[in-house]
Amino acid sequence: MREVVVTGGGTGIGYAIAAAFAARGDHVTITGRREHVLKEAAGRIGAAYAAFNAASPVAVQEALGLLPSRVDVLVNNAGGNTNLDRRQSADLMDVAEAWWANLNANLMSAVLVTTALAPRLGDGGRVVSIGSIAARGTGSGSYGAAKAALESWTADLAAELGPRGITANVVSPGLVLDTEFFRGRLTEDGIRARVDNTRNGRAGTVSDVADTVLFLAGPGAGHVTGQVLHVNGGAYLGR
């Protein structure tokens, strides 16, 4: 039985990933900031949970006792576009805080949790981080920049962990509807425009992303590392 940790595992893509691992018989620990959400999600799939802010070095350090002593698969899913919760402002302090928020949520959360758990990763382990099509010049400002930085960091991580047979990759979704990402603000026109950019004429699902993570975490992906796997129906062609 593998030990799997999924950050941001209480809802959406993270929950789907955690549920997929649990269905395969792995022991899963989900993390997030909202304990009541985690408790309910963990109960549904038979997982353990640990509530903490993955972007806080203090919180991550304090949470280590709640996480498995051995980790076979780490999925860095915590994040989201924090700009959706902020008003636009030209004040330089507001601009700086907005950028820090997205960098903390989407880059530093992965860096901190991975660094903290790296000594616990077994040889042949897997690290998979969830990126975004926004990293490839499709907009979203500081959110896209944070996801682009996540890709760059993953390339270095693959080199650092590679001698131990540990792989590190990014799964980069396009539009996925069954999540809290857009906070209910995405219009039908917005959906249609994004779907029109795909080659297969549909939005992505949380299962599309979870299945790709399962592949990267499996034995058949041992020679796939430092890569970005795009799961967007061809809206962005990774070539």
Side-chain angles (χ1 to χ4, degrees):
M1 179 185 296
R2 295 185 300 179
E3 290 285 349
V4 180
V5 175
V6 181
T7 69
T11 62
I13 289 173
Y15 176 77
I17 292 168
F21 278 111
R24 291 196 169 197
D26 295 316
H27 182 262
V28 179
T29 303
I30 59 175
T31 82
R33 291 176 296 174
R34 296 175 293 176
E35 185 167 7
H36 68 286
V37 172
L38 290 175
K39 184 176 181 179
E40 293 176 2
R44 288 195 297 271
I45 63 175
Y49 70 91
F52 64 93
N53 179 3
S56 164
V58 174
V60 173
Q61 185 67 43
E62 291 177 346
L64 285 178
L66 303 174
L67 300 175
S69 60
R70 185 193 84 250
V71 178
D72 300 295
V73 181
L74 169 61
V75 181
N76 293 308
N77 171 74
N81 190 346
T82 57
N83 280 341
L84 295 177
D85 299 321
R86 290 176 174 272
R87 62 176 181 85
Q88 294 296 312
S89 171
D91 180 270
L92 291 182
M93 183 56 71
D94 291 339
V95 171
E97 288 179 351
W99 276 76
W100 288 329
N102 256 326
L103 288 167
N104 283 333
N106 296 286
L107 173 64
M108 293 310 301
S109 60
V111 170
L112 292 172
V113 174
T114 304
T115 301
L117 293 182
R120 303 184 185 186
L121 285 168
D123 291 352
R126 302 284 189 263
V127 179
V128 182
S129 298
I130 305 303
S132 171
I133 193 173
R136 297 305 177 100
T138 60
S140 298
S142 56
Y143 172 71
K147 291 300 191 182
L150 183 72
E151 293 183 7
S152 180
W153 167 75
T154 297
D156 281 346
L157 183 67
E160 176 186 337
L161 300 179
R164 294 168 54 192
I166 300 170
T167 65
N169 293 286
V170 174
V171 172
S172 183
L175 173 64
V176 177
L177 294 179
D178 296 330
T179 75
E180 298 178 344
F181 182 85
F182 289 102
R183 316 289 202 276
R185 301 177 190 178
L186 188 60
T187 65
E188 289 299 321
D189 287 342
I191 294 172
R192 189 176 305 110
R194 288 165 173 81
V195 169
D196 285 347
N197 283 334
T198 68
R199 266 62 174 177
N200 58 359
R202 70 170 177 87
T205 68
V206 293
S207 294
D208 290 328
V209 182
D211 287 345
T212 306
V213 173
L214 287 179
F215 162 69
L216 288 174
H223 201 48
V224 179
T225 194
Q227 304 301 311
V228 180
L229 273 68
H230 298 280
V231 184
N232 56 45
Y236 172 85
L237 299 178
R239 59 185 183 182

